[in-house]
Amino acid sequence: MVSLDRYGSQARRRFAVLAFVSLLVSVASSSHGQNAYVQVDSFGELGAGNGQFDFPYDVEIIGVQLYVADSNNNRVQVFDLGGQYLFQFGGTGFDDGQFRRNRGIASGPPAAAAIFCTDAKNDRIQKFDADGAHLATWGSIGDASDQFFRPRGIAVAADGTVVICDSDNQRMKLYNADLSLRGVFGGEGSGSGQFRSPFDVAVSPDGVIYVVDVFNTRVQMFDLQGNTLGEFGTPGQGPGQFLAAKAIAIDAAGNVFVADTGAPTLGFDRIQKFDAQGQWLGQFGEHGTGDGQMSFVTGLVCDTAGRVYVADSFNHRVTVWAPLAVPSGKTSMSAFRARFQN
């Protein structure tokens, strides 16, 4: 396990080559070179041991720690940002602190440093402190206002509002910071404010909710009361289009990252970058198992340095991507090698 600050000379040369190849792909598919990204780290493999994964579903960051929803192992594993294993919590079961396919994971508000997990097959939400101590559980299976049916994505706004994808009920739910229910919105359909599998959610620094609406092949935007603000995306595989978007994250600048994927037989995966209004900026990654590739991405998170952490689910790993600024007038291999050796 390595981080960008720990590379030796051989690793730097390796990632310089990877950077050059990934840059060519990114620039070819992006209208702006400053939106090129390169994979700089990868950790994990299939298994149940420390640092191994079985379908890592989502990722979250608190400070300098990365939390991974290791879904089929029914646990959360915690790492430093360089991929070094630290500790874990959870376990299989129905009791408080246990999971049956934990899916989404989110933290907040910043001062509280709490972790929220969607416990999909238990049809409930659980809250933990940053050390993994259980704090609260709520929800049961059903379609009443206080119930869930296979919840997936979850996000926490700066004011403490908890936003949850009640996915198989085709709706979104809003909770106040004290976990009291604020509201429910959505319903099955293709109209504005309706959903066909709301899969993941993110909240911008200024309080805009972005929901991945999978089978409507779009991202919808709402305010913190659930009022519709707009949408972007159309069906397809071109720039700004979606085949089956599954994950979403927002960086500190308000840029929106959406993981677009398909069935493994389609061989299609990428991450697209948009501005806050949904204008396409670029894309990176492709389907596969090697460096610079991904397979069925279901979770994303951005750190304060602009790196994107990816739950590469079918590859049973987490990958890390960094923005690669393109030096003006420098496109040679030696120029990119020099960048990664400095």
Side-chain angles (χ1 to χ4, degrees):
M1 300 179 187
V2 294
S3 69
L4 190 60
D5 297 330
R6 302 175 188 170
Y7 297 147
S9 59
Q10 290 184 344
R12 287 181 185 275
R13 285 193 294 271
R14 174 176 177 269
F15 281 109
V17 173
L18 179 59
F20 184 69
V21 173
S22 295
L23 177 67
L24 293 180
V25 174
S26 297
V27 171
S29 60
S30 173
S31 59
H32 303 288
Q34 66 266 29
N35 291 304
Y37 283 71
V38 58
Q39 184 187 320
V40 296
D41 204 354
S42 174
F43 57 94
E45 61 182 1
L46 178 61
N50 294 345
Q52 296 180 318
F53 302 112
D54 188 352
F55 207 87
Y57 202 93
D58 202 3
V59 282
E60 180 60 301
I61 292 173
I62 295 182
V64 295
Q65 294 186 160
L66 177 72
Y67 293 71
V68 182
D70 187 10
S71 185
N72 287 359
N73 283 323
N74 295 307
R75 64 184 179 181
V76 174
Q77 294 196 73
V78 185
F79 302 81
D80 67 21
L81 296 185
Q84 182 66 45
Y85 172 83
L86 299 175
F87 65 94
Q88 64 181 272
F89 58 93
T92 304
F94 301 88
D95 295 336
D96 288 345
Q98 295 181 320
F99 302 113
R100 294 174 64 236
R101 299 297 187 264
N102 51 313
R103 300 301 201 196
I105 188 168
S107 66
I115 288 287
F116 296 84
C117 299
T118 59
D119 188 5
K121 287 195 172 182
N122 282 327
D123 299 291
R124 64 186 183 182
I125 313 300
Q126 298 199 64
K127 180 181 179 181
F128 302 84
D129 69 17
D131 297 322
H134 179 265
L135 299 176
T137 298
W138 76 97
S140 61
I141 189 169
D143 60 5
S145 62
D146 61 345
Q147 293 181 309
F148 299 96
F149 188 28
R150 301 300 187 260
R152 290 190 177 92
I154 188 167
V156 183
D159 68 353
T161 301
V162 182
V163 189
I164 301 168
C165 296
D166 190 6
S167 298
D168 286 6
N169 278 327
Q170 311 297 340
R171 64 186 184 182
M172 301 296 297
K173 301 181 73 174
L174 301 173
Y175 288 85
N176 297 307
D178 63 1
L179 305 185
S180 60
L181 181 66
R182 178 188 299 175
V184 179
F185 63 95
E188 187 169 7
S190 299
S192 179
Q194 295 181 315
F195 302 104
R196 293 175 62 228
S197 192
F199 210 85
D200 199 14
V201 60
V203 184
S204 70
D206 59 351
V208 177
I209 299 170
Y210 293 76
V211 181
V212 171
D213 187 8
V214 178
F215 296 115
N216 284 323
T217 58
R218 64 186 177 184
V219 172
Q220 295 198 70
M221 297 176 286
F222 303 87
D223 65 20
L224 288 175
Q225 303 303 317
N227 299 307
T228 302
L229 299 177
E231 64 180 67
F232 59 92
T234 57
Q237 299 182 32
Q241 296 182 315
F242 301 118
L243 185 61
K246 292 292 197 305
I248 191 166
I250 300 174
D251 67 14
N255 297 305
V256 181
F257 297 80
V258 182
D260 191 18
T261 187
T265 53
L266 295 176
F268 182 80
D269 282 278
R270 64 179 176 178
I271 296 172
Q272 298 192 78
K273 181 180 179 181
F274 302 84
D275 69 15
Q277 288 73 46
Q279 294 297 311
W280 185 82
L281 299 176
Q283 67 183 49
F284 55 93
E286 63 180 9
H287 179 77
T289 61
D291 289 334
Q293 297 180 320
M294 55 193 69
S295 183
F296 204 77
V297 172
T298 52
L300 301 169
V301 69
C302 302
D303 69 11
T304 56
R307 291 181 291 258
V308 182
Y309 294 72
V310 176
D312 189 4
S313 298
F314 280 1
N315 285 327
H316 307 288
R317 66 184 181 183
V318 173
T319 60
V320 187
W321 299 71
L324 184 62
V326 181
S328 177
K330 297 180 180 180
T331 55
S332 68
M333 187 66 209
S334 60
F336 290 105
R337 182 181 292 115
R339 170 176 171 80
F340 279 83
Q341 288 178 334
N342 288 337

